[in-house]
């Protein structure tokens, strides 16, 4: 019995000590009405929140930066299966509101996922994790309950495999 308990503890510890595969996740939270966005970037090395002003005279400003990121959080984020996500998830019943662009880099792959007024079960935990790590005044604006309510009864949900080609004249 004692050896079984010791073996179980060793197995648990070894599972948690596996190295976390390097990755980068950024979430760009758009606020079109106020002409700015915030970019939340997290990697194995740091977490950073950057204000990006969209007006001509504005420059980027780092609002928060930390290297103190729990391994548990990094492990959860590194395990999100971005490869199997579509490019766009959009609730077309809402014209403005919650718009986020997720960019995920891991190894040689890069994936962009645009989420507009849409609750995505696989991406929502990334927002929750980042909000746990940043001060309240810099948290991502995200109300899961309201977004789910806006999706109920909407018959105009757009999910696209790829971003559409934009043709320039």
């Amino acid at each position: 019995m004692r050896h079984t308990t010791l073996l179980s503890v060793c197995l648990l510890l070894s599972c948690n000590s596996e190295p976390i595969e390097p990755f980068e996740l950024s979430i760009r939270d758009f606020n079109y009405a106020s002409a700015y966005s915030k970019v939340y970037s997290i990697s194995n090395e740091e977490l950073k929140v950057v204000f990006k002003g969209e007006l001509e005279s504005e420059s980027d400003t780092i609002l928060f930066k930390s290297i103190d990121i729990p391994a548990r959080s990094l492990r959860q984020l590194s395990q999100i299966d971005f490869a199997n996500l579509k490019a766009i998830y959009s609730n077309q019943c809402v014209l403005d509101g919650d718009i986020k662009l997720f960019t995920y880099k891991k190894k040689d792959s890069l994936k962009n996922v645009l989420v507009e007024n849409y609750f995505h079960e696989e991406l929502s935990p990334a927002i929750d994790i980042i909000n746990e790590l940043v001060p309240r005044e810099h948290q991502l604006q995200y109300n899961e309950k309201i977004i789910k309510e806006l999706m109920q009864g909407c018959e105009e949900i757009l999910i696209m495999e790829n971003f559409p080609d934009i043709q320039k004249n």
Side-chain angles (χ1 to χ4, degrees), residues 49-99:
V49 180
V50 177
F51 172 89
K52 294 192 162 285
E54 304 295 332
L55 300 176
E56 194 172 307
S57 62
E58 293 179 315
S59 59
D60 296 353
T61 306
I62 296 174
L63 301 174
F64 176 78
K65 191 173 183 177
S66 176
I67 58 170
D68 185 24
I69 308 166
R72 174 188 57 80
S73 299
L74 290 173
R75 192 171 312 285
Q76 282 180 278
L77 292 171
S78 74
Q79 293 173 347
I80 295 174
D81 187 11
F82 272 84
N84 289 319
L85 297 178
K86 309 289 188 219
I88 298 174
Y89 297 87
S90 179
N91 177 351
Q92 300 288 292
C93 293
V94 181
L95 298 176
D96 198 1
D98 188 72
I99 302 170

Side-chain angles (χ1 to χ4, degrees), residues 94-105:
V94 181
L95 298 176
D96 198 1
D98 188 72
I99 302 170
K100 293 178 177 36
L101 177 65
F102 293 75
T103 302
Y104 192 76
K105 297 177 190 174

Side-chain angles (χ1 to χ4, degrees), residues 25-27 82 100-104 111-113 115 123 127:
L25 170 64
S26 71
I27 303 172
F82 272 84
K100 293 178 177 36
L101 177 65
F102 293 75
T103 302
Y104 192 76
K111 179 77 174 205
N112 289 307
V113 178
V115 179
L123 296 175
I127 294 170

Side-chain angles (χ1 to χ4, degrees), residues 12-150:
L12 284 172
L13 290 176
S14 67
C15 290
N16 288 332
S17 65
E18 290 179 22
I20 299 168
E21 192 170 355
F23 73 94
E24 290 178 43
L25 170 64
S26 71
I27 303 172
R28 187 169 191 145
D29 190 13
F30 295 95
N31 186 326
Y32 289 116
S34 298
Y36 76 86
S37 61
K38 288 183 181 177
V39 178
Y40 299 77
S41 303
I42 189 167
S43 70
N44 300 60
E45 280 118 38
E46 72 177 358
L47 167 64
K48 186 168 37 173
V49 180
V50 177
F51 172 89
K52 294 192 162 285
E54 304 295 332
L55 300 176
E56 194 172 307
S57 62
E58 293 179 315
S59 59
D60 296 353
T61 306
I62 296 174
L63 301 174
F64 176 78
K65 191 173 183 177
S66 176
I67 58 170
D68 185 24
I69 308 166
R72 174 188 57 80
S73 299
L74 290 173
R75 192 171 312 285
Q76 282 180 278
L77 292 171
S78 74
Q79 293 173 347
I80 295 174
D81 187 11
F82 272 84
N84 289 319
L85 297 178
K86 309 289 188 219
I88 298 174
Y89 297 87
S90 179
N91 177 351
Q92 300 288 292
C93 293
V94 181
L95 298 176
D96 198 1
D98 188 72
I99 302 170
K100 293 178 177 36
L101 177 65
F102 293 75
T103 302
Y104 192 76
K105 297 177 190 174
K106 192 172 187 180
K107 291 185 182 178
D108 293 332
S109 67
L110 172 69
K111 179 77 174 205
N112 289 307
V113 178
L114 183 66
V115 179
E116 299 176 319
N117 304 299
Y118 185 94
F119 172 75
H120 197 291
E121 195 168 316
E122 292 174 72
L123 296 175
S124 183
I127 294 170
D128 295 337
I129 290 168
I130 289 173
N131 279 346
E132 288 173 8
L133 300 172
V134 300
R136 184 175 199 78
E137 66 270 16
H138 298 307
Q139 290 182 348
L140 280 148
Q141 297 300 309
Y142 182 73
N143 189 321
E144 182 178 314
K145 182 181 175 187
I146 290 174
I147 291 172
K148 284 180 175 179
E149 287 173 5
L150 291 171

